[in-house]
Amino acid sequence: MTVHNEVQALIYSRLTTDAGVAALVNGRVYDNPPSNADFPYVSFGPSDAVEDDAECITGLVITQQIDCWSRYQGGFKEVKSLADAVKKALHRYNGALTVNALVEMTVQSVRHFRDPDGITSHGVVTVQAIVEEP
């Protein structure tokens, strides 16, 4: 498994087992959401990696976007609650990777905005994982 897939699997596992996230999305965490997905839900967005090598250590800083989606008609309340639950589940999470070593996982930012369709609220949680490769 690549380091990118391993980090995504760790994040997925955390989001699908965390009580705070589960209470809001009931397992609806997707890599590729179906077109008929029930709202609210969480999906994986873009990611990137930057080399972070040091003497005798091969490392990567992986940045993963986590998207939170809601069609709650009362404004941003639901998507803000969901993005906050995702942040709480992932910030400083010290889960274990199988092949590589997770040094640190942090949430770098959380944003909320209305999508162009005028009915969907979108939350973006930016997660950074520092990983050492064997």
Side-chain angles (χ1 to χ4, degrees):
M1 179 182 296
T2 70
V3 64
H4 300 276
N5 288 337
E6 192 175 19
V7 168
Q8 182 169 325
L10 178 68
I11 292 171
Y12 178 85
S13 176
R14 178 68 172 165
L15 293 178
T16 56
T17 59
D18 178 78
V21 175
L24 297 167
V25 299
N26 193 28
R28 294 185 303 274
V29 178
Y30 304 109
D31 183 8
N32 186 21
S35 59
N36 63 345
D38 290 333
F39 288 85
Y41 67 88
V42 173
S43 64
F44 285 85
S47 64
D48 63 67
V50 177
E51 297 296 323
D52 189 34
D53 296 345
E55 190 174 326
C56 300
I57 296 172
T58 302
L60 283 175
V61 177
I62 296 175
T63 303
Q64 175 67 61
Q65 178 176 308
I66 305 296
D67 295 303
C68 302
W69 304 95
S70 170
R71 289 211 171 143
Y72 175 71
Q73 296 303 303
F76 285 104
K77 179 181 178 180
E78 185 175 64
V79 82
K80 285 182 176 181
S81 295
L82 180 53
D84 187 55
V86 168
K87 176 185 181 267
K88 286 179 181 176
L90 297 176
H91 189 64
R92 303 263 182 234
Y93 177 58
N94 62 355
L97 300 173
T98 305
V99 176
N100 301 282
L102 180 65
V103 175
E104 180 180 49
M105 181 180 292
T106 57
V107 170
Q108 300 296 300
S109 66
V110 178
R111 297 177 21 209
H112 315 96
F113 50 94
R114 186 92 52 229
D115 265 13
D117 67 7
I119 57 172
T120 306
S121 296
H122 189 173
V124 173
V125 180
T126 305
V127 179
Q128 186 178 77
I130 301 171
V131 179
E132 287 183 12
E133 297 177 281

